[in-house]
Amino acid sequence: MANEPNADAGAHQIRRPDALQAGVCFGGNLAIIALGLFMLGVSLHILLFICLIWTAAHSRMLGHDFVAIRGMMSDGISRALPAIYIFLLIGMVIAAFMQSGTVAALIYYGLQLLSPAWFLAAGLVLCSLMSVATGTSWGTAGTLGVVLIGIGGAMGIPLPLVAGMIVCGATFGDKLSPVSDTTNLAAMSAGTSLFRHIGSMLYTTVPAFVLSLVIFTLLGLGYTDNTLPTNAINDIQQALASSYSLNPVITLLPLLVMLILSLRRFAAEVAMTASILVAMCIAVLYQGQSLVAALDSLWSNSAGTTGIGTLDELLGRGGMLSMSWTLLLSLMALALGGMLFAAGFLQAMLQGLVARLKRTVSLVASTIGAGIIGNLGMGEAYITIILNSQLFRQTFEAKGIDNAVLSRSVEEGATMSTGLIPWTTAGAFYAATLGVPVLEYLPYAFLNYLNPVISIVMAALGVGLLRGVKKN
C-alpha cells in the first residue's frame, strides 16, 4: 500500500506528496520540455528522459526505492499494451494503402471534384478523406495542401482562406482516423478502445464538420467567376495515372474493408490486418509490384515514382519503421505518466481542482482548456494528450463518465489547437509548408475552434455524454 513501509526500502517510510511538491514536480516537467524545445532545441525524447529522472528523484524523496519506481513506469506502459500493438499496425496500413494505389486514387478522382464555386468545399472534403485514409495531417498538408494552395492562388482566392480550409481537413483525419497516431494515443492514454473513442468523437466532430462545410460552401460561392488552372491539375492526374492503375472499385477496396469491419465492431487489429492483406493482394496482382517489394514496404516504404517531389514523398510514407519516433515517445511519456500517477503527484494536484468541478460541463471545459494550455506551454500535442489523460482520468471515472468522453475532450483541446499556435511543431509546419502565417489562416480554421465550442455546449446540454462505471 502507498502509505505502508516498503520492505525493500529499508528505513524509508513511503508518504504521499503534498500539493506543493506535486506542483514543483509537475511544473518542473513542463519547464524542462518548454525550455528544452523552444530555447535549446533539444530532442523531445531526450527531454522526456530528463523528465523521468526529475520525477524519479521526487518519487525517491517520498520513500520509493528503485524497484518500486521502475514498477510504476512499467505499469504505465503495460496498461497501454493493446494500443501499442495497433501502433505497429498503423505504419503497415499506411504503406499498404500507398502500394495498392488507394491514396493515389483518392487524389486522382478527388481533383476531378474541383470547380471555382465549389473549390473550398470540395477541398475540405478531399483533405478530410486524405487525412482519414493516411492518418496524417502533416502528410495531407504537405502534399495535397501544397497542390490546393497553388490552385487556389491561381484562381485568386485569398491564400489564408485556402490554408484555413486545408488545416481543417487535415486536422479532421488526424483526430478521427483509426490509423492516426494522435487518435490511438488519446484512446490508449485515456484507457478506452480505439473505436469507442472514435464513436464518441463523432458526436461533436460531425456537427462541427458540417457547419464548417456550410461556411466554406457559402464563402466559395463568391468565387464562381474565377478560372480553374486545369493544366496544373492535369499534370498531377497524368503523373498518377502513369504510375498506378486507378480503377476506383479495386483501389479503394482496402479502405472500404477497414470501414465495413470497423462499423461491424470488429477489433481494430482485425480491421487493420484485413485491410493490409487486401491492399497487398492489390499491390501485387493489380499494380504489378513484386511480392518482395510489397512486403518490404510494410517495414519501410520507398518514395513514389510520379516525378512530382511532394507527391512522391507522400506516396513513400508508411511502414513500421515510420512509427518508431511516435512509438518511442509514447512509451517514455507513458512511463512518466505511470510514475506521476502511482507516486500520487497527479492526485495531489487535482484535489483542489476536483472540489471545484461540480458540473460535468466544467470538467469537460477544464479538460479542453488544459489541452490548449498544454500546447501553449509545451508546443507538442503528443505530450499534452498523454499527461492530460493521466491528469483527468480519475476524475472522469469518479463521476461515472465514460473514458471515451475523456479521450474526446483531450483531443478537442490538444489535437484541434496544435495547428493554431505559431510555436507548436504543427503550427510551424503548416506555416512553412503552406506559406501562410498561422495567425493569418487561424480565423478560417473553422473546424478547429468550432469543435471544442460545440463539445462544451453539448456537455452543458447533457448530449453525447457516455456513461461508464462510477468509481470511488
Side-chain angles (χ1 to χ4, degrees), residues 339-407:
M339 201 181 340
L340 287 169
F341 176 77
F345 295 111
L346 295 181
Q347 296 89 321
M349 285 187 60
L350 276 177
Q351 285 177 353
L353 177 62
V354 172
R356 295 179 177 86
L357 298 178
K358 301 296 185 181
R359 302 173 59 204
T360 300
V361 62
S362 301
L363 179 57
V364 170
S366 297
T367 306
I368 293 173
I372 298 171
I373 293 171
N375 281 345
L376 287 168
M378 293 183 286
E380 181 54 69
Y382 293 105
I383 306 301
T384 301
I385 288 171
I386 292 176
L387 292 184
N388 279 354
S389 296
Q390 295 280 355
L391 192 64
F392 288 96
R393 180 172 175 176
Q394 196 172 35
T395 308
F396 272 80
E397 292 177 346
K399 289 182 174 293
I401 303 173
D402 196 291
N403 285 354
V405 179
L406 165 62
S407 60

Side-chain angles (χ1 to χ4, degrees), residues 314-334:
L314 172 69
L315 297 172
R317 280 183 49 82
M320 291 177 66
L321 185 61
S322 69
M323 296 303 299
S324 59
W325 189 95
T326 304
L327 180 58
L328 290 173
L329 182 74
S330 301
L331 292 175
M332 297 181 74
L334 287 167

Side-chain angles (χ1 to χ4, degrees), residues 95-116:
F97 281 11
M98 301 302 178
Q99 293 289 318
S100 64
T102 301
V103 174
L106 282 173
I107 298 175
Y108 181 89
Y109 293 105
L111 290 175
Q112 294 181 352
L113 299 174
L114 299 181
S115 67

Side-chain angles (χ1 to χ4, degrees), residues 367-369 371-372 375 408-418 452:
T367 306
I368 293 173
I372 298 171
N375 281 345
R408 176 179 80 197
S409 302
V410 165
E411 280 227 69
E412 283 163 354
T415 304
M416 302 306 288
S417 70
T418 184

Side-chain angles (χ1 to χ4, degrees), residues 196-218:
R196 180 74 169 171
H197 171 50
I198 293 174
S200 175
M201 288 194 294
L202 292 176
Y203 281 98
T204 58
T205 309
V206 170
F209 179 82
V210 171
L211 186 55
S212 300
L213 183 62
V214 170
I215 295 173
F216 280 118
T217 300
L218 294 175

